[in-house]
Amino acid sequence: MIPKVFKEVIDLGDGREITLETGKLAKQAHGSVVVQSGKCMLLCTVVSNYEQKDLDFLPLTVDYREKFAASGRYPGGFFKREARPSDGEVLTMRLVDRVLRPLFPKDYHSETQVMIQLMSHDDDVMPDAMAGLAASAAIQLSDFPFECAISEARVGRVNGEFVINPSRAQLEESDIDMVIGASIDSVMMVEGEMKEISEEEMVEAIKFAHEHIKKQCEAQIRLAEAVGRKTVREYEPEREDEDLKKKVHDMAYDKVYAVAQSASAKHERTDAFSAIKEEIKATFSEEELEDFGDLISRYYYKAEKEAVRDLTLNEGLRLDGRKTDEIRPIWCEVDYLPSVHGSAIFTRGETQALATVTLGTSREANQIDMPSYEGEETFYLHYNFPPFSTGEARPIRGTSRREVGHGNLAQRALKGMIPADCPYTVRVVSEVLESNGSSSMATVCSGTMALMDAGVQLKKPVSGIAMGLISDAESGKYAVLSDILGDEDHLGDMDFKVTGTADGITACQMDIKVKGLSYEILVNALKQAADGRLHILDKLVETIAEPNSDVKPHAPKMVTVTIPNEYIGALIGPGGKVIQELQKATKTTIVINEDPVTEEGIVEILGTNQEGIDAVLARIDSLTFKPEVGNSYKVKVIKMLDFGAVVEYLDAPGNENLLHVSELAWERTENVTDVVNMGDVFEVKFLGFDPRTKKEKVSRKALLDKPEGYKERAPRDNNRSGNRDNRGRDNRNRDNRDRDRKRD
């Protein structure tokens, strides 16, 4: 018997609905829900162990997977089974994790797992927009200690109108693609890309999404109440000792404040803070340290955070001595690496990124094969964050989720500035060499310069900046920090990254840690970010003002030509013989694609030697050469016959025609060699197709003057009714028979 099912419906306001359902699937999980929109169905399950881990953080795992069966497909590759998550799945995991994690109690350390699976796909529904809703709804049905219901929604803008959770087709026409995470009261997370919109437009999009998110949160609460809310589980909280807390605070605060006020460098400051901590710990006995060592460390960090925040709010100063809106010194360099197609170094304070650009054909496009989306990227960016960049030694175990996320943000910042007619597949790789601040924004800046150095004709240069916010709800004071340090990232109430051109925002990423942040403060923060972003942009333009007019001499040149569909086979040749020999002879790479609309052949020719590219173009011209009636062409005799000469068009080698003996000259020609010989070059006129032979006909005599007194020969009578000149088998009359008898 099917168990009782509970449902809640969310009206999106345009005829679409999202349904929340529980009670049927995965009942042993601590919470489970099916979220459905159209034919798209997500199953989310949540489980949290009852034992507390001996850790100082929440061991939360958010896992999002798309099952290929959901779209009636098989996994690609040799093993027909889903394996490691794709970049797209990792990005969705990060979107959900960033909203959920801050809502668990800080002293809750039980291993917690959120698993979201795409079970059924709908081409008109993007499932990642509902992943946050599914996760929160499942948690609301559990007994987890969790602050409040949240949800996430995607917002687009098509023809000036905001659209909630747009389809992929709508997104292609949209100038905004943002995912917003929020509770009923507060916006908590924003990430997306835009087509050079203003700060005010961005805030309006956030407001629009937040109104829809409120309805989604209310639906979760109704569902949980209908099922019957579970009592929140009890767990062993962290130890607290108010007397010890005050003691550590009193010993640490003034000393930390003094170090923070001294405007020191990162490592010097870190050493000074560590010395203060060790000095405080030295005042305790070994027994006290054994019993309260973890509390002493925790209370010290709280005192350190409070002192640094107070310095900024009270004096407008920061750890490195800058004012709140001041940008660290910047230096840049392009063309640093001699062998790559484009390179640039961007250094801002103690953050440094080296970007490289590689140019290729469509064969190098990044193939995306997900159940919810199949396609390819002809522009993509990879971000690497090695441990030495922060002065650490740690194991490297593949590409981290953080690296995927930061690379995606930089890619979204830049991709809108790649011109639509760029013939190359473009790969940017950012190597972070130093990090104390936003390395993803350094990647945007170095990537911009490297692209221009490579000769990619960017529409406009793009810069990026990381911002922070420190606020005090009681006093109403707040400070927006431009170009934040790594330490400021951790102690602030909001950190956000904004990228854009001189004309508007192209991408953003925000994590808002304070409740009820006003939209007024958000707009002010974005305005300050714009000032900083433009300052950085000026530094980039000073280094390289515009894209190089051409690619580097050692970089491949790309030429794209279109040929009629019927010539594709001739260019490839049997078993690829023609194209392989042509690539080998010209030292080029040739890629042929078929236009899905016109079915024409799109030929990409990539090579470092212009002569080789020209040779390929000449061969293509030769293959597709079509002479026009009435035009003259130079030809060369390549073969002699009794009844004419075979000639080859000089402008289209390989294209041959028979020049009949009757078209050599006006005078009667007994022998072809009386007029032309092997290797002779001359002009002929193209007469079109011979109606009798249906073959192309060319003439040499048509370009010569008629001799004086020349008389046209009477045209041959092709009427086969039976006169003496018609000697077909069916026209043998008596006169013919008489002549035959006389010969006997």
Side-chain angles (χ1 to χ4, degrees), residues 704-719:
L704 302 176
D705 294 331
K706 291 183 182 180
E708 189 175 344
Y710 176 81
K711 293 183 179 181
E712 294 279 357
R713 296 174 60 187
R716 181 178 179 181
D717 185 359
N718 289 324
N719 181 8

Side-chain angles (χ1 to χ4, degrees), residues 124 127 207:
D124 293 327
K207 288 180 180 179

Side-chain angles (χ1 to χ4, degrees), residues 445-484:
C445 298
S446 61
T448 290
M449 293 186 294
L451 286 165
M452 293 197 291
D453 180 53
V456 176
Q457 301 302 302
L458 278 189
K459 299 175 187 176
K460 301 171 188 175
V462 180
S463 65
I465 189 170
M467 307 290 292
L469 173 72
I470 296 176
S471 62
D472 182 8
E474 292 184 8
S475 65
K477 292 182 180 179
Y478 73 90
V480 178
L481 310 180
S482 298
D483 179 23
I484 58 174

Side-chain angles (χ1 to χ4, degrees), residues 616-635:
V616 176
L617 291 172
R619 184 62 181 273
I620 292 173
D621 288 342
S622 173
L623 283 173
T624 59
F625 175 74
K626 286 185 177 180
E628 296 182 12
V629 176
N631 284 359
S632 300
Y633 301 94
K634 275 193 173 184
V635 296

Side-chain angles (χ1 to χ4, degrees), residues 374-394:
E374 292 179 88
E376 62 180 27
E377 294 174 327
T378 55
F379 171 75
Y380 49 99
L381 186 150
H382 293 148
Y383 165 101
N384 297 316
F385 190 84
F388 66 76
S389 64
T390 55
E392 298 174 282
R394 52 180 167 78

Side-chain angles (χ1 to χ4, degrees), residues 553-557 587-588 606-610 613:
H554 60 272
K557 286 77 178 172
K587 296 182 179 178
T588 59
L606 192 79
T608 56
N609 189 331
Q610 189 61 45
I613 294 174

